[in-house]
Amino acid sequence: MSSPAVFVAVILVFASLFSPSLSQICSSQQFTNNKVYARCSDLPVLKSFLHWTYDAANSTLSVAFVAPPDKPDGWIAWAINPNAPGMVGAQTLFAFKNSKGEMVVKTYDISSYSSIMESSKLWFDVKETAAEFSGGMMRLFATLVLPEKGKTTLNHVWQVGPSVTDGFPAKHGFQPANLNSKGTFDLLSGESKSSASGDSRVTRKNIHGILNAISWGFLFPVGIIIARYMRTFKSADPAWFYLHISCQCSAYVIGVAGWATGLKLGSESKGITYDVHRNIGIALFCLATLQVFALLLRPKKDHKYRFYWNIYHHGVGYTMLILSLVNVFKGLDILDPATKWRSAYIGILVVLGVIALLLEVVTWIVVLKRKSNKTTKPYDG
């Protein structure tokens, strides 16, 4: 019998540590001014939401943009770009706290990446603005008069930042989520699309994340569950061993593919590095390769070195389990997908943890019963 339920503890601890605090959707949000909007959209990055009502007759657009700033003293921004998707040319509304701690809204015309930001008049008229901050979320309210009557498809950009200096928003981050916070939306249908710019790279990042989530984040833990609990039952021998090997070898092959795509993405991202995520990935690859080769040196059950081989094998395996879960969540932080994907993965981990906990109880009952009968010693797979 190996050490107590390490797997169970690891799964449940990580699920609780990394559970998102902002697990909501736009349709569930309510505003303190009791304002109700005709449509809303869960924006694909930065955990942001957009609510709006369009009055075609008057060409007015009432919006509420909701997002968590990088820090409590940070800022949020939403913009319409009349020329193209992207920051340059964006007619921007910024919400942040002023020196008195009051929420204010300022307007900026972002004419270039290098220009000094100054509050200015926008392409559209702004009839009224307001902002508030509570529960870790900033909310920006505005009513706009669109100059091009009848135009219902708009380019928009949204962003969050860490701080405000002398009344001016500081630079935002340059994570993938920050760079991909742009797209188009239709005022009438509510259809929203992310910008096509960089879609190929985003797709490869998603493939990298999916491969590693399936391999290190799912198949590898399942393989551990099989090895730890199925071998307790004599009727499962040697089926448990072949199932365990199948899971771990599949995890290794898929994981190596994900690791390789990560290296390729890293080589193409000059100036953008994720040291912790990369180093853990390299460590996982090395340890997994070591485990594969160790399988070839696996002593027989009655060999005098089998005990030491078991210590090595279990120790490396549980170390990989911890590193795998840490790195999957590191990857989620980098990709910053919609909250539902993180929630779905946490749900999978919780299910695996509950299954492992139940099997742990059953395993101990079986082993203790065998010991009490004094007929056979606990089965050693």
Side-chain angles (χ1 to χ4, degrees):
M1 185 73 178
S2 55
S3 59
V6 177
F7 177 82
V8 178
V10 170
I11 290 290
L12 296 179
V13 167
F14 276 95
S16 63
L17 285 178
F18 293 99
S19 179
S21 60
L22 302 172
S23 56
Q24 53 180 301
I25 57 176
C26 69
S27 59
S28 68
Q29 295 175 334
Q30 296 180 338
F31 303 108
T32 54
N33 57 9
N34 295 321
K35 181 75 173 180
V36 178
Y37 295 87
R39 297 188 180 277
C40 72
S41 175
D42 300 329
L43 300 177
V45 293
L46 298 178
K47 300 180 177 67
S48 305
F49 311 90
L50 181 66
H51 304 252
W52 74 92
T53 298
Y54 176 57
D55 183 345
N58 297 316
S59 194
T60 58
L61 177 65
S62 297
V63 298
F65 173 65
V66 183
D70 284 343
K71 296 180 180 179
D73 292 326
W75 53 265
I76 65 171
W78 180 79
I80 293 176
N81 192 325
N83 303 312
M87 188 177 91
V88 176
Q91 310 295 294
T92 312
L93 299 164
F94 280 87
F96 54 86
K97 292 181 182 177
N98 61 16
S99 58
K100 299 179 180 179
E102 301 169 337
M103 289 296 298
V104 295
V105 177
K106 298 291 184 179
T107 58
Y108 296 89
D109 180 357
I110 311 296
S111 58
S112 72
Y113 287 106
S114 57
S115 63
I116 298 175
M117 290 179 55
E118 294 183 359
S119 184
S120 60
K121 184 177 175 61
L122 301 182
W123 167 72
F124 47 78
D125 290 332
V126 181
K127 293 180 64 176
E128 57 184 29
T129 61
E132 61 184 35
F133 180 42
S134 63
M137 303 290 279
M138 281 188 179
R139 300 165 185 84
L140 187 162
F141 305 96
T143 299
L144 322 174
V145 180
L146 302 179
E148 296 182 354
K149 194 170 184 178
K151 183 177 180 178
T152 61
T153 300
L154 302 176
N155 302 312
H156 71 139
V157 184
W158 62 98
Q159 196 57 260
V160 300
S163 62
V164 177
T165 303
D166 296 329
F168 293 97
K171 286 185 177 180
H172 60 74
F174 291 91
Q175 301 294 319
N178 299 99
L179 301 178
N180 292 302
S181 56
K182 54 188 177 182
T184 62
F185 74 106
D186 190 286
L187 298 176
L188 299 179
S189 68
E191 182 179 0
S192 179
K193 295 181 180 179
S194 297
S195 171
S197 174
D199 276 357
S200 175
R201 181 170 174 77
V202 171
T203 299
R204 283 182 287 153
K205 287 183 177 181
N206 290 337
I207 291 173
H208 167 72
I210 291 170
L211 289 174
N212 286 292
I214 291 174
S215 57
W216 307 117
F218 178 72
L219 287 176
F220 185 71
V222 169
I224 290 180
I225 290 178
I226 290 172
R228 175 165 174 76
Y229 301 113
M230 284 188 65
R231 66 179 182 177
T232 303
F233 305 97
K234 295 181 180 180
S235 59
D237 190 27
W240 75 264
F241 176 75
Y242 294 114
L243 286 172
H244 171 66
I245 293 298
S246 297
C247 266
Q248 305 307 66
C249 286
S250 297
Y252 179 73
V253 171
I254 298 173
V256 168
W259 179 70
T261 59
L263 292 180
K264 176 65 174 174
L265 287 167
S267 68
E268 297 174 351
S269 305
K270 303 301 182 183
I272 302 177
T273 58
Y274 305 102
D275 291 334
V276 175
H277 184 64
R278 180 190 61 191
N279 293 338
I280 293 177
I282 293 173
L284 279 171
F285 170 75
C286 295
L287 290 173
T289 302
L290 195 63
Q291 287 281 67
V292 170
F293 282 106
L295 179 64
L296 304 176
L297 302 175
R298 179 172 176 260
K300 294 182 178 180
K301 294 179 182 179
D302 56 353
H303 196 282
K304 62 180 180 179
Y305 292 126
R306 178 59 179 268
F307 173 76
Y308 302 103
W309 186 91
N310 283 342
I311 293 176
Y312 148 79
H313 186 62
H314 296 162
V316 172
Y318 283 122
T319 300
M320 288 179 61
L321 174 65
I322 295 172
L323 292 177
S324 296
L325 296 178
V326 169
N327 223 27
V328 168
F329 282 102
K330 288 287 184 183
L332 287 171
D333 290 338
I334 293 170
L335 285 175
D336 193 26
T339 304
K340 62 183 179 181
W341 297 111
R342 181 187 289 260
S343 299
Y345 181 65
I346 291 175
I348 291 172
L349 290 186
V350 170
V351 170
L352 289 178
V354 170
I355 291 173
L357 182 62
L358 294 175
L359 289 174
E360 185 73 23
V361 172
V362 172
T363 298
W364 276 102
I365 291 174
V366 171
V367 171
L368 293 176
K369 186 176 181 180
R370 285 175 182 164
K371 284 184 177 181
S372 65
N373 290 336
K374 303 285 185 183
T375 56
T376 60
K377 65 179 181 179
Y379 184 65
D380 182 9

